[in-house]
Amino acid sequence: MIRAAVLPAVGSPLEITGIHLPEPGPGQVRVRLAAAGVCHSDLSLSNGTMRVPVPAVLGHEGAGTVVSIGEGVSHVAPGDGVVLNWAPSCGACHHCGLGEVWLCANALTGAANVYARTEDGTALHPGLNVAAFAEETVVAADCVLPAPDGVPLTDAALLGCAVLTGWGAVHHSARVRAGESVAVFGVGGVGLATLQAARVAGASTIVAVDVSPEKEALARAAGATDYLLASETTAKEIRQLTGGHGADVSVECVGRATTIRTAWEATRRGGRTTVVGIGGKDQQVTFNALEIFHWGRTLSGCVYGNSDPARDLPVLAEHIRAGRLDPGALVTERITLEGIPVAFENMLAGKGGRALVVF
């Protein structure tokens, strides 16, 4: 019996309760969590913006220590530190064949499995494959990657989503070049990681935009050279800060139609707008045909930072060891499982950076 945060139904409050977790079967790994980040995607799963089989244990950004392994598992052993990979690639689908492992058609099939049960025997699903909002979890072997040497597991937890996503948005999707200007919309966990990544890329002007004045210090510490409170004149202000042209790259980390539209308008002619934020189907963004032609901008989505965790984790680890990236700086609150509902409320209110569940 271990403690977990269970989502009994879409739209229902999380319940902190005991669950029965089986020993790992063939091709499975049991992990004792060290920490798990509370991501906006977890909130989107709980409120139905994204679909998830329920009841479920949410949480997809985490790291911990291997407790035991099932038959056939050889890349990790009991006692090893690991990072959870919530979107493992199958290696066989069309997108994997193209090298686009972040778009793997089979990455989330494990979320439909029954992986544990409540005290009364009710079947539980593992959220986005890994069920990190629990003291321990059992996952498929391809959902764990060796934790980087020299990186504390509490920091390594953030590599599983926020840091990979922010890094990839800058280096894989937008492909920011040294000397370019970057505007980042939304200074939550992913936004802070994006700011750090833009700084590492050598961006010249880095503008952070958020609705909260309290986030300015966080943004500047992460690499922002300028900070703007979101308003109807944000795009104009960014153009003023970038020689009248607009940002070479805008990264939207909110997932709202108005923010996406503003990020697009803040991007220079011929620049790149990357959308990281996950919005609902009701968030409709409109463009007219003439402006698409005239501005020559590129608008692209970005899934999981367009990253390959197996390839990118060692790169991120080297930057962390060298002091160029600081995952811990994304964290504005360390909580227990019981604190997750309040962390959800804070995200809705636009407060803070990353809340981290520490076990």
Side-chain angles (χ1 to χ4, degrees):
M1 181 76 70
I2 56 107
R3 295 171 65 250
V6 175
L7 177 70
V10 172
S12 296
L14 294 178
E15 298 176 356
I16 312 303
T17 185
I19 67 171
H20 293 285
L21 194 65
E23 288 303 311
Q28 292 184 321
V29 178
R30 182 164 180 152
V31 178
R32 180 179 299 113
L33 272 295
V38 183
C39 178
H40 205 282
S41 296
D42 298 308
L43 177 61
S44 295
L45 290 166
S46 72
N47 64 24
T49 300
M50 298 168 62
R51 296 175 62 184
V52 62
V54 290
V57 175
L58 301 183
H60 62 279
E61 179 184 81
T65 303
V66 175
V67 176
S68 55
I69 59 175
E71 182 183 352
V73 177
S74 59
H75 71 296
V76 295
D80 287 351
V82 293
V83 175
L84 298 180
N85 176 16
W86 61 270
S89 56
C90 70
C93 71
H94 176 70
H95 288 289
C96 285
L98 294 174
E100 299 170 347
V101 297
W102 54 91
L103 298 178
C104 175
N106 301 306
L108 295 179
T109 55
N113 296 338
V114 172
Y115 96 111
R117 295 188 180 273
T118 63
E119 292 185 80
D120 65 5
T122 301
L124 290 171
H125 301 282
L128 290 179
N129 283 327
V130 297
F133 288 167
E135 294 170 328
E136 296 186 12
T137 188
V138 172
V139 300
D142 57 2
C143 286
V144 296
L145 295 167
D149 292 336
V151 179
L153 287 177
T154 49
D155 284 352
L158 299 163
L159 299 180
C161 184
V163 178
L164 265 177
T165 299
W167 175 266
V170 168
H171 291 269
H172 300 322
S173 180
R175 299 184 180 181
V176 175
R177 298 181 289 268
E180 288 192 312
S181 55
V182 177
V184 178
F185 292 77
V187 185
V190 172
L192 289 168
T194 303
L195 290 168
Q196 288 196 27
R199 180 182 61 193
V200 172
S204 54
T205 300
I206 304 175
V207 185
V209 182
D210 200 274
V211 297
S212 172
E214 287 77 20
K215 292 187 180 181
E216 180 171 359
L218 282 172
R220 290 189 180 275
T225 59
D226 299 273
Y227 189 82
L228 299 176
L229 288 177
S231 71
E232 293 181 355
T233 62
T234 296
K236 180 179 179 180
E237 292 176 76
I238 290 174
R239 286 194 293 273
Q240 290 172 342
L241 290 169
T242 53
H245 304 293
D248 294 302
V249 170
S250 291
V251 182
E252 200 274 357
C253 303
V254 181
R256 294 197 184 102
T258 53
T259 315
I260 294 169
R261 179 71 210 192
T262 301
W264 164 266
E265 293 175 356
T267 304
R268 70 164 174 84
R269 193 177 188 190
R272 291 98 70 199
T273 305
T274 291
V275 179
V276 175
I278 301 173
K281 293 180 179 179
D282 60 323
Q283 297 293 310
Q284 298 291 315
V285 189
T286 59
F287 308 92
N288 66 61
L290 181 60
E291 69 174 313
I292 292 174
F293 160 77
H294 173 75
W295 289 103
R297 298 167 176 142
T298 299
L299 175 67
S300 61
C302 179
V303 178
Y304 204 6
N306 293 7
S307 294
D308 177 350
R311 175 198 65 198
D312 291 332
L313 282 184
V315 175
L316 294 174
E318 183 56 37
H319 284 296
I320 293 169
R321 288 190 291 264
R324 292 184 289 268
L325 288 177
D326 181 9
L330 277 58
V331 179
T332 53
E333 188 178 16
R334 294 173 184 265
I335 60 175
T336 63
L337 284 172
E338 286 78 6
I340 297 174
V342 174
F344 279 4
E345 292 174 8
N346 288 339
M347 281 192 289
L348 282 171
K351 296 180 181 179
R354 201 48 133 214
L356 186 70
V357 180
V358 179
F359 295 93

